[in-house]
Amino acid sequence: METRQPSRSKIFFEEKSLGFDRLIMLCDGIFAIAMTLLVLDIKLPEGVQAGALHEELGNLLKKSIFYLITFITVAGYWVSHRQLMTYIKRQDGPFTTLTFLFLAFVVFFPASFNVLVTAGNSAEVVIFYTLVLVGCGLSSFLLWAYASWKHRLIDAAISQHEIITRCIRILIIPIYFCLSLTLLTIPNIDANAVFYSWFLLPIVARIAHVISGRIEKRLTHHHTIASTEPESKTPVSGE
């Protein structure tokens, strides 16, 4: 009895599905490792004396605050990336390359965090650390822009309004980080004020989310009305 071979399209679909799942697993694994490595820098220096313990505990508290900010930021990028991947229906080489670019910034988080907690209060270090976060956000935007351009890798049913709205939501975080660096132009300001301003980011993101949602709803409403309006009758000459 002749054995029926699977079609080429079925084999391709299975291979693509397996490769896509492995790409998601790789992203999740790198995020998990990066988030775990962050905590390794939260420790007291070796051989600390009893007299300096109070000061070192204060430094440890400051490091813990920076760790919390970084952890929340990385977790936010992970959530955003997981949401992005739910839109992806196909996969190609450039998308995989852009994913590795995004992961390169994620992997760099522990190194930039180590520089931050080691070098102390320095404007240069703050700028360096912030730019790493900005790079991660912009590379995430590139992923979505490439995948959504002319519905290259996403479902054709997704509206252009939704694509634009998601672009805005992805860009909110890196743009906010860049704007926070303008605080360094204030004379005699503590460079760490840049980090403390990031605690306002959830509020800003929520406001932007509500505004973009209302704009999308209004545009969708106008589009529905325009599509349901009867076509105007063309007057016949001679009437």
Side-chain angles (χ1 to χ4, degrees), residues 125-144:
V125 172
V126 170
I127 294 174
F128 168 73
Y129 177 78
T130 304
L131 290 180
V132 173
L133 302 185
V134 171
C136 189
L138 293 181
S139 59
S140 177
F141 170 75
L142 287 178
L143 271 175
W144 175 246

Side-chain angles (χ1 to χ4, degrees), residues 55-69:
E55 181 180 354
E56 291 299 336
L57 286 176
N59 293 332
L60 184 64
L61 177 60
K62 183 181 293 186
K63 292 179 182 179
S64 299
I65 294 175
F66 293 158
Y67 162 77
L68 180 62
I69 294 173

Side-chain angles (χ1 to χ4, degrees), residues 16-28:
K16 184 184 76 68
S17 177
L18 178 61
F20 189 69
D21 291 341
R22 292 183 66 182
L23 184 63
I24 294 179
M25 291 174 59
L26 175 64
C27 294
D28 290 344

Side-chain angles (χ1 to χ4, degrees), residues 61-206:
L61 177 60
K62 183 181 293 186
K63 292 179 182 179
S64 299
I65 294 175
F66 293 158
Y67 162 77
L68 180 62
I69 294 173
T70 307
F71 185 90
I72 293 175
T73 303
V74 177
Y77 278 136
W78 177 80
V79 171
S80 177
H81 181 261
R82 291 288 289 182
Q83 292 174 348
L84 184 150
M85 296 301 276
T86 60
Y87 286 89
I88 306 302
K89 300 300 180 183
R90 296 169 291 279
Q91 180 186 356
D92 60 8
F95 182 81
T96 303
T97 301
L98 289 174
T99 300
F100 279 112
L101 174 64
F102 172 72
L103 293 178
F105 285 101
V106 176
V107 172
F108 206 68
F109 276 135
S112 61
F113 180 71
N114 177 265
V115 173
L116 176 65
V117 298
T118 301
N121 188 8
S122 169
E124 292 78 6
V125 172
V126 170
I127 294 174
F128 168 73
Y129 177 78
T130 304
L131 290 180
V132 173
L133 302 185
V134 171
C136 189
L138 293 181
S139 59
S140 177
F141 170 75
L142 287 178
L143 271 175
W144 175 246
Y146 175 81
S148 61
W149 179 254
K150 296 183 178 180
H151 296 81
R152 181 184 282 113
L153 303 179
I154 63 177
D155 198 318
I158 298 177
S159 67
Q160 194 66 26
H161 300 319
E162 187 174 355
I163 293 175
I164 296 175
T165 300
R166 183 156 186 83
C167 285
I168 295 174
R169 292 174 181 174
I170 294 176
L171 285 174
I172 287 174
I173 295 179
I175 290 177
Y176 185 87
F177 285 154
C178 288
L179 292 177
S180 68
L181 291 177
T182 59
L183 293 174
L184 297 176
T185 61
I186 301 176
N188 302 321
I189 191 172
D190 184 0
N192 293 328
V194 173
F195 303 134
Y196 301 140
S197 69
W198 295 353
F199 283 110
L200 297 175
L201 183 57
I203 300 176
V204 175
R206 181 59 184 172

